[in-house]
Amino acid sequence: MATAVVSSRPTGPTSTGEDKGIRSYYLSKIDELELIVRERTQNLQRLKAQRNEWNAKVRLLREELHHLQEPGSYVGEVVKAMGKTKVLVKVNPEGKYVVDLDKDVDINMCTPNTRVALRNDSYTLHKILPTKVDPLVSLMKVEAVPDSTYDMIGGLDKQVREIKEVIELPIKHPELFEALGVAQPKGVLLYG
C-alpha cells in the first residue's frame, strides 16, 4: 500500500513574478514558524523534566517533614536483661518497664547502665545509644601526653614543689604516709 507524503508548503503553478515573491515570502514565514514550534516543543519538554524533578524533591521534603513531626523516642537505661527478648529498662520520670527488643538489637549489647532508645508508642527497645559523657569532663581530658618536664617550667618553683609532694611522694614512698598516719590523696585537680 502506498502512502502519500503531504507537505505543508503550497505547490502549484505560478505564472507571474509577483506570485513567486509571495510564494517565497510565505515559505520563509513557514520555515520561521516551524523553527519556533521546534524550539517551544524542546522548551516544553525541558520544563516537564524540571517539573518532575521538583515534584520528586517536594515528595522527599514531605516525607522528611512527616518524620520530623513524629514524636521522639524515650531514653532509658538498661537495668538487666530478662531472657532473650525482654529487658528491664529504667525511664527516669516514669519508672521501670520490662520491654521487648527490636529484631535489629542484640541482647548481648544490653548490659546494665547502657543507654537505650524506646519507641514512643510501644516502648520497644529499638536502638543502643552511645554512653553519655559530661562535656566538662571531656574538656579536661588529656588526649596527647605532653613531653614537658619540670625544668621547662620557669618561675613556679613553689607550685612545682607542692605538686611533687602531693603527687610523686605518695607514689614513690607510700610508707612515709603510713608511718605518719596520713591518708594518701585520691587525686589532684589542676587547672589554669
Side-chain angles (χ1 to χ4, degrees):
M1 178 178 238
T3 58
V5 177
V6 178
S7 174
S8 61
R9 298 176 186 219
T11 58
T14 58
S15 59
T16 64
E18 185 178 305
D19 288 342
K20 286 182 183 179
I22 291 174
R23 177 178 169 79
S24 65
Y25 171 76
Y26 282 122
L27 288 175
S28 67
K29 281 295 187 184
I30 290 171
D31 288 341
E32 288 175 16
L33 292 174
E34 284 176 349
L35 182 64
I36 291 172
V37 167
R38 274 195 302 273
E39 287 175 1
R40 300 249 168 107
T41 303
Q42 290 173 353
N43 194 21
L44 178 66
Q45 290 172 352
R46 183 185 55 81
L47 290 173
K48 283 181 180 178
Q50 190 175 15
R51 180 193 64 195
N52 291 340
E53 288 177 21
W54 285 108
N55 284 340
K57 285 182 182 180
V58 166
R59 255 191 316 277
L60 289 174
L61 289 173
R62 280 188 182 150
E63 288 176 11
E64 184 177 347
L65 183 62
H66 176 70
H67 288 301
L68 289 173
Q69 289 176 337
E70 288 180 356
S73 298
Y74 293 114
V75 175
E77 191 174 285
V78 173
V79 176
K80 68 178 180 176
M82 303 187 67
K84 293 184 179 182
T85 61
K86 303 267 187 202
V87 176
L88 180 63
V89 177
K90 179 177 74 172
V91 181
N92 278 340
E94 298 165 15
K96 294 180 181 178
Y97 297 100
V98 176
V99 298
D100 292 322
L101 286 176
D102 199 19
K103 61 181 176 188
D104 298 332
V105 178
D106 184 16
I107 188 73
N108 298 325
M109 298 294 291
C110 297
T111 57
N113 299 326
T114 303
R115 291 179 62 230
V116 293
L118 306 172
R119 294 197 194 283
N120 61 342
D121 54 351
S122 63
Y123 278 81
T124 303
L125 191 152
H126 68 97
K127 192 170 193 178
I128 305 287
L129 298 175
T131 57
K132 187 176 180 180
V133 177
D134 188 4
L136 295 175
V137 173
S138 65
L139 286 175
M140 289 190 275
K141 187 169 79 172
V142 176
E143 295 187 12
V145 179
D147 57 352
S148 304
T149 63
Y150 291 127
D151 298 331
M152 295 176 168
I153 301 170
L156 298 173
D157 295 332
K158 179 182 170 196
Q159 288 83 0
V160 169
R161 185 177 43 80
E162 289 174 357
I163 289 174
K164 284 183 177 182
E165 289 175 1
V166 173
I167 296 174
E168 288 183 9
L169 194 58
I171 294 172
K172 291 182 177 178
H173 304 287
E175 67 276 358
L176 293 175
F177 283 82
E178 290 175 14
L180 293 172
V182 177
Q184 296 179 8
K186 302 254 184 220
V188 177
L189 178 63
L190 301 173
Y191 66 94

